[in-house]
Amino acid sequence: MRKCLNLLLILIVATFFGLVTKQAQAGSLVKISDKNLVLSSDAIITGKVLSIESRWNASKTNIYTDITIALNQTIKGDLGSNIIVIEQVGGKIGDKEVWLTGSPEFSVGEEVLLFLKANSKGVLHTAHMGMGKFSISQT
């Protein structure tokens, strides 16, 4: 619990000094509190985006994007590796493009703070869509 409170304090201070920026959220999403974001996440990490690859699912009915992250720090959880892949619904393959409103956007080389959830198969994704992703910038 103390670690969660420390993380919450770090987020507040970092946001105040402009080190962490949040991408815009769609107006239709309900914002979750920082406390609930921390508590509902299976893992919280900082890292650098190494690659982004979109792919079809097995039946070619939906596009998913795999984002490979090199971990800098694990704040919550045990991921068992220094490199992880998170999966997001949506992406672009050729002239086909599918995106969910409120999905986070990533770019290669970006430093991120991620709040992660695992689905029933253990596949990681951002918690609460775009609300689980923060960009870290040094200004």
Side-chain angles (χ1 to χ4, degrees), residues 21-29 31 100-105 110 128-135:
T21 58
K22 186 76 170 118
Q23 67 186 56
Q25 298 299 315
S28 62
L29 294 178
K31 181 160 174 26
L100 295 178
T101 300
S103 292
E105 294 180 28
E110 179 181 22
H128 307 281
M129 298 184 72
M131 290 182 232
K133 186 246 181 180
F134 293 81
S135 295

PDB file of all heavy atoms in Angstrom, residues 21-29 31 100-105 110 128-135:
ATOM      1  N   THR A  21       3.378  13.672 -19.402  1.00  0.00           N
ATOM      2  CA  THR A  21       2.266  14.278 -20.128  1.00  0.00           C
ATOM      3  C   THR A  21       1.262  13.202 -20.469  1.00  0.00           C
ATOM      4  O   THR A  21       1.620  12.062 -20.733  1.00  0.00           O
ATOM      5  CB  THR A  21       2.745  14.962 -21.424  1.00  0.00           C
ATOM      6  OG1 THR A  21       3.403  13.997 -22.226  1.00  0.00           O
ATOM      7  CG2 THR A  21       3.672  16.114 -21.114  1.00  0.00           C
ATOM      8  N   LYS A  22       0.016  13.552 -20.456  1.00  0.00           N
ATOM      9  CA  LYS A  22      -1.071  12.616 -20.730  1.00  0.00           C
ATOM     10  C   LYS A  22      -1.664  12.961 -22.069  1.00  0.00           C
ATOM     11  O   LYS A  22      -1.895  14.110 -22.369  1.00  0.00           O
ATOM     12  CB  LYS A  22      -2.139  12.762 -19.629  1.00  0.00           C
ATOM     13  CG  LYS A  22      -3.237  11.754 -19.704  1.00  0.00           C
ATOM     14  CD  LYS A  22      -2.753  10.432 -19.193  1.00  0.00           C
ATOM     15  CE  LYS A  22      -3.888   9.479 -19.042  1.00  0.00           C
ATOM     16  NZ  LYS A  22      -3.765   8.341 -19.874  1.00  0.00           N
ATOM     17  N   GLN A  23      -1.899  11.968 -22.905  1.00  0.00           N
ATOM     18  CA  GLN A  23      -2.535  12.255 -24.172  1.00  0.00           C
ATOM     19  C   GLN A  23      -4.003  12.562 -23.936  1.00  0.00           C
ATOM     20  O   GLN A  23      -4.596  12.155 -22.957  1.00  0.00           O
ATOM     21  CB  GLN A  23      -2.354  11.105 -25.154  1.00  0.00           C
ATOM     22  CG  GLN A  23      -3.066   9.838 -24.776  1.00  0.00           C
ATOM     23  CD  GLN A  23      -2.703   8.722 -25.726  1.00  0.00           C
ATOM     24  OE1 GLN A  23      -1.548   8.404 -25.903  1.00  0.00           O
ATOM     25  NE2 GLN A  23      -3.694   8.134 -26.326  1.00  0.00           N
ATOM     26  N   ALA A  24      -4.594  13.314 -24.862  1.00  0.00           N
ATOM     27  CA  ALA A  24      -5.994  13.721 -24.732  1.00  0.00           C
ATOM     28  C   ALA A  24      -6.908  12.499 -24.715  1.00  0.00           C
ATOM     29  O   ALA A  24      -6.682  11.540 -25.432  1.00  0.00           O
ATOM     30  CB  ALA A  24      -6.377  14.634 -25.890  1.00  0.00           C
ATOM     31  N   GLN A  25      -7.927  12.576 -23.909  1.00  0.00           N
ATOM     32  CA  GLN A  25      -8.895  11.494 -23.814  1.00  0.00           C
ATOM     33  C   GLN A  25     -10.183  11.902 -24.510  1.00  0.00           C
ATOM     34  O   GLN A  25     -10.556  13.061 -24.533  1.00  0.00           O
ATOM     35  CB  GLN A  25      -9.208  11.187 -22.338  1.00  0.00           C
ATOM     36  CG  GLN A  25      -8.011  10.715 -21.553  1.00  0.00           C
ATOM     37  CD  GLN A  25      -7.446   9.427 -22.104  1.00  0.00           C
ATOM     38  OE1 GLN A  25      -8.165   8.505 -22.407  1.00  0.00           O
ATOM     39  NE2 GLN A  25      -6.141   9.383 -22.268  1.00  0.00           N
ATOM     40  N   ALA A  26     -10.877  10.928 -25.051  1.00  0.00           N
ATOM     41  CA  ALA A  26     -12.166  11.191 -25.668  1.00  0.00           C
ATOM     42  C   ALA A  26     -13.159  11.618 -24.600  1.00  0.00           C
ATOM     43  O   ALA A  26     -13.124  11.141 -23.473  1.00  0.00           O
ATOM     44  CB  ALA A  26     -12.657   9.933 -26.376  1.00  0.00           C
ATOM     45  N   GLY A  27     -14.061  12.516 -24.974  1.00  0.00           N
ATOM     46  CA  GLY A  27     -15.032  13.036 -24.027  1.00  0.00           C
ATOM     47  C   GLY A  27     -15.996  12.000 -23.502  1.00  0.00           C
ATOM     48  O   GLY A  27     -16.621  12.187 -22.471  1.00  0.00           O
ATOM     49  N   SER A  28     -16.147  10.868 -24.190  1.00  0.00           N
ATOM     50  CA  SER A  28     -17.112   9.862 -23.770  1.00  0.00           C
ATOM     51  C   SER A  28     -16.559   8.900 -22.722  1.00  0.00           C
ATOM     52  O   SER A  28     -17.297   8.105 -22.176  1.00  0.00           O
ATOM     53  CB  SER A  28     -17.603   9.068 -24.986  1.00  0.00           C
ATOM     54  OG  SER A  28     -16.523   8.398 -25.584  1.00  0.00           O
ATOM     55  N   LEU A  29     -15.277   8.958 -22.432  1.00  0.00           N
ATOM     56  CA  LEU A  29     -14.696   8.068 -21.432  1.00  0.00           C
ATOM     57  C   LEU A  29     -14.843   8.658 -20.042  1.00  0.00           C
ATOM     58  O   LEU A  29     -14.732   9.861 -19.854  1.00  0.00           O
ATOM     59  CB  LEU A  29     -13.212   7.833 -21.718  1.00  0.00           C
ATOM     60  CG  LEU A  29     -12.887   7.069 -22.989  1.00  0.00           C
ATOM     61  CD1 LEU A  29     -11.387   6.961 -23.164  1.00  0.00           C
ATOM     62  CD2 LEU A  29     -13.507   5.695 -22.973  1.00  0.00           C
ATOM     63  N   LYS A  31     -13.278   9.203 -16.540  1.00  0.00           N
ATOM     64  CA  LYS A  31     -11.939   9.215 -15.948  1.00  0.00           C
ATOM     65  C   LYS A  31     -11.934   8.406 -14.661  1.00  0.00           C
ATOM     66  O   LYS A  31     -12.838   8.504 -13.858  1.00  0.00           O
ATOM     67  CB  LYS A  31     -11.483  10.641 -15.675  1.00  0.00           C
ATOM     68  CG  LYS A  31     -10.090  10.688 -15.089  1.00  0.00           C
ATOM     69  CD  LYS A  31      -9.461  12.026 -15.263  1.00  0.00           C
ATOM     70  CE  LYS A  31      -8.129  12.197 -14.596  1.00  0.00           C
ATOM     71  NZ  LYS A  31      -7.311  11.070 -14.349  1.00  0.00           N
ATOM     72  N   LEU A 100      -9.968   2.112 -31.725  1.00  0.00           N
ATOM     73  CA  LEU A 100     -11.009   2.334 -30.728  1.00  0.00           C
ATOM     74  C   LEU A 100     -10.824   3.724 -30.138  1.00  0.00           C
ATOM     75  O   LEU A 100      -9.695   4.123 -29.808  1.00  0.00           O
ATOM     76  CB  LEU A 100     -10.934   1.301 -29.603  1.00  0.00           C
ATOM     77  CG  LEU A 100     -11.204  -0.147 -29.979  1.00  0.00           C
ATOM     78  CD1 LEU A 100     -11.046  -1.035 -28.755  1.00  0.00           C
ATOM     79  CD2 LEU A 100     -12.591  -0.306 -30.573  1.00  0.00           C
ATOM     80  N   THR A 101     -11.909   4.451 -29.975  1.00  0.00           N
ATOM     81  CA  THR A 101     -11.847   5.752 -29.328  1.00  0.00           C
ATOM     82  C   THR A 101     -11.309   5.581 -27.911  1.00  0.00           C
ATOM     83  O   THR A 101     -11.761   4.696 -27.187  1.00  0.00           O
ATOM     84  CB  THR A 101     -13.247   6.400 -29.282  1.00  0.00           C
ATOM     85  OG1 THR A 101     -13.716   6.545 -30.614  1.00  0.00           O
ATOM     86  CG2 THR A 101     -13.210   7.747 -28.590  1.00  0.00           C
ATOM     87  N   GLY A 102     -10.336   6.375 -27.559  1.00  0.00           N
ATOM     88  CA  GLY A 102      -9.748   6.294 -26.221  1.00  0.00           C
ATOM     89  C   GLY A 102      -8.538   5.394 -26.129  1.00  0.00           C
ATOM     90  O   GLY A 102      -7.942   5.255 -25.067  1.00  0.00           O
ATOM     91  N   SER A 103      -8.159   4.756 -27.243  1.00  0.00           N
ATOM     92  CA  SER A 103      -6.970   3.909 -27.239  1.00  0.00           C
ATOM     93  C   SER A 103      -5.712   4.765 -27.130  1.00  0.00           C
ATOM     94  O   SER A 103      -5.658   5.862 -27.685  1.00  0.00           O
ATOM     95  CB  SER A 103      -6.886   3.086 -28.529  1.00  0.00           C
ATOM     96  OG  SER A 103      -7.907   2.139 -28.582  1.00  0.00           O
ATOM     97  N   PRO A 104      -4.687   4.262 -26.457  1.00  0.00           N
ATOM     98  CA  PRO A 104      -3.443   5.032 -26.365  1.00  0.00           C
ATOM     99  C   PRO A 104      -2.687   5.011 -27.686  1.00  0.00           C
ATOM    100  O   PRO A 104      -2.815   4.071 -28.474  1.00  0.00           O
ATOM    101  CB  PRO A 104      -2.656   4.294 -25.277  1.00  0.00           C
ATOM    102  CG  PRO A 104      -3.165   2.891 -25.356  1.00  0.00           C
ATOM    103  CD  PRO A 104      -4.613   2.997 -25.732  1.00  0.00           C
ATOM    104  N   GLU A 105      -1.918   6.057 -27.927  1.00  0.00           N
ATOM    105  CA  GLU A 105      -1.040   6.114 -29.093  1.00  0.00           C
ATOM    106  C   GLU A 105       0.400   5.981 -28.616  1.00  0.00           C
ATOM    107  O   GLU A 105       0.779   6.549 -27.592  1.00  0.00           O
ATOM    108  CB  GLU A 105      -1.211   7.439 -29.833  1.00  0.00           C
ATOM    109  CG  GLU A 105      -2.582   7.600 -30.460  1.00  0.00           C
ATOM    110  CD  GLU A 105      -2.719   8.918 -31.185  1.00  0.00           C
ATOM    111  OE1 GLU A 105      -1.702   9.471 -31.665  1.00  0.00           O
ATOM    112  OE2 GLU A 105      -3.851   9.415 -31.258  1.00  0.00           O
ATOM    113  N   GLU A 110       9.695   6.334 -27.715  1.00  0.00           N
ATOM    114  CA  GLU A 110       8.983   7.061 -26.664  1.00  0.00           C
ATOM    115  C   GLU A 110       9.247   6.431 -25.293  1.00  0.00           C
ATOM    116  O   GLU A 110       9.240   5.214 -25.144  1.00  0.00           O
ATOM    117  CB  GLU A 110       7.491   7.038 -26.982  1.00  0.00           C
ATOM    118  CG  GLU A 110       6.608   7.719 -25.978  1.00  0.00           C
ATOM    119  CD  GLU A 110       5.129   7.637 -26.352  1.00  0.00           C
ATOM    120  OE1 GLU A 110       4.737   6.729 -27.127  1.00  0.00           O
ATOM    121  OE2 GLU A 110       4.376   8.480 -25.851  1.00  0.00           O
ATOM    122  N   HIS A 128      -7.473   0.449 -18.563  1.00  0.00           N
ATOM    123  CA  HIS A 128      -8.428   1.519 -18.851  1.00  0.00           C
ATOM    124  C   HIS A 128      -8.061   2.290 -20.115  1.00  0.00           C
ATOM    125  O   HIS A 128      -8.098   3.513 -20.150  1.00  0.00           O
ATOM    126  CB  HIS A 128      -8.584   2.442 -17.643  1.00  0.00           C
ATOM    127  CG  HIS A 128      -8.906   1.692 -16.393  1.00  0.00           C
ATOM    128  ND1 HIS A 128     -10.166   1.225 -16.111  1.00  0.00           N
ATOM    129  CD2 HIS A 128      -8.103   1.272 -15.371  1.00  0.00           C
ATOM    130  CE1 HIS A 128     -10.140   0.562 -14.958  1.00  0.00           C
ATOM    131  NE2 HIS A 128      -8.910   0.578 -14.498  1.00  0.00           N
ATOM    132  N   MET A 129      -7.659   1.538 -21.121  1.00  0.00           N
ATOM    133  CA  MET A 129      -7.310   2.064 -22.449  1.00  0.00           C
ATOM    134  C   MET A 129      -6.246   3.163 -22.331  1.00  0.00           C
ATOM    135  O   MET A 129      -5.213   2.935 -21.745  1.00  0.00           O
ATOM    136  CB  MET A 129      -8.570   2.512 -23.170  1.00  0.00           C
ATOM    137  CG  MET A 129      -9.527   1.336 -23.407  1.00  0.00           C
ATOM    138  SD  MET A 129     -10.983   1.735 -24.332  1.00  0.00           S
ATOM    139  CE  MET A 129     -10.307   1.948 -25.962  1.00  0.00           C
ATOM    140  N   GLY A 130      -6.513   4.339 -22.868  1.00  0.00           N
ATOM    141  CA  GLY A 130      -5.519   5.408 -22.877  1.00  0.00           C
ATOM    142  C   GLY A 130      -5.208   5.989 -21.509  1.00  0.00           C
ATOM    143  O   GLY A 130      -4.190   6.649 -21.330  1.00  0.00           O
ATOM    144  N   MET A 131      -6.058   5.723 -20.524  1.00  0.00           N
ATOM    145  CA  MET A 131      -5.805   6.251 -19.183  1.00  0.00           C
ATOM    146  C   MET A 131      -4.646   5.539 -18.509  1.00  0.00           C
ATOM    147  O   MET A 131      -4.113   6.032 -17.520  1.00  0.00           O
ATOM    148  CB  MET A 131      -7.067   6.161 -18.335  1.00  0.00           C
ATOM    149  CG  MET A 131      -8.124   7.132 -18.778  1.00  0.00           C
ATOM    150  SD  MET A 131      -9.582   7.030 -17.727  1.00  0.00           S
ATOM    151  CE  MET A 131     -10.817   6.829 -18.978  1.00  0.00           C
ATOM    152  N   GLY A 132      -4.233   4.384 -19.044  1.00  0.00           N
ATOM    153  CA  GLY A 132      -3.127   3.632 -18.470  1.00  0.00           C
ATOM    154  C   GLY A 132      -1.788   3.921 -19.116  1.00  0.00           C
ATOM    155  O   GLY A 132      -0.810   3.218 -18.872  1.00  0.00           O
ATOM    156  N   LYS A 133      -1.731   4.970 -19.955  1.00  0.00           N
ATOM    157  CA  LYS A 133      -0.475   5.288 -20.650  1.00  0.00           C
ATOM    158  C   LYS A 133      -0.130   6.769 -20.462  1.00  0.00           C
ATOM    159  O   LYS A 133      -0.935   7.654 -20.697  1.00  0.00           O
ATOM    160  CB  LYS A 133      -0.614   4.992 -22.142  1.00  0.00           C
ATOM    161  CG  LYS A 133       0.696   5.154 -22.899  1.00  0.00           C
ATOM    162  CD  LYS A 133       0.602   6.297 -23.849  1.00  0.00           C
ATOM    163  CE  LYS A 133       1.911   6.446 -24.623  1.00  0.00           C
ATOM    164  NZ  LYS A 133       1.853   7.553 -25.552  1.00  0.00           N
ATOM    165  N   PHE A 134       1.092   7.005 -20.013  1.00  0.00           N
ATOM    166  CA  PHE A 134       1.618   8.349 -19.874  1.00  0.00           C
ATOM    167  C   PHE A 134       2.940   8.431 -20.638  1.00  0.00           C
ATOM    168  O   PHE A 134       3.729   7.512 -20.596  1.00  0.00           O
ATOM    169  CB  PHE A 134       1.898   8.698 -18.405  1.00  0.00           C
ATOM    170  CG  PHE A 134       0.668   8.793 -17.545  1.00  0.00           C
ATOM    171  CD1 PHE A 134       0.068   7.646 -17.037  1.00  0.00           C
ATOM    172  CD2 PHE A 134       0.111  10.023 -17.244  1.00  0.00           C
ATOM    173  CE1 PHE A 134      -1.066   7.724 -16.254  1.00  0.00           C
ATOM    174  CE2 PHE A 134      -1.028  10.118 -16.461  1.00  0.00           C
ATOM    175  CZ  PHE A 134      -1.618   8.973 -15.963  1.00  0.00           C
ATOM    176  N   SER A 135       3.152   9.527 -21.338  1.00  0.00           N
ATOM    177  CA  SER A 135       4.435   9.775 -21.991  1.00  0.00           C
ATOM    178  C   SER A 135       5.328  10.505 -21.006  1.00  0.00           C
ATOM    179  O   SER A 135       4.872  11.395 -20.291  1.00  0.00           O
ATOM    180  CB  SER A 135       4.251  10.657 -23.236  1.00  0.00           C
ATOM    181  OG  SER A 135       3.494   9.979 -24.198  1.00  0.00           O
TER     182      SER A 135
END
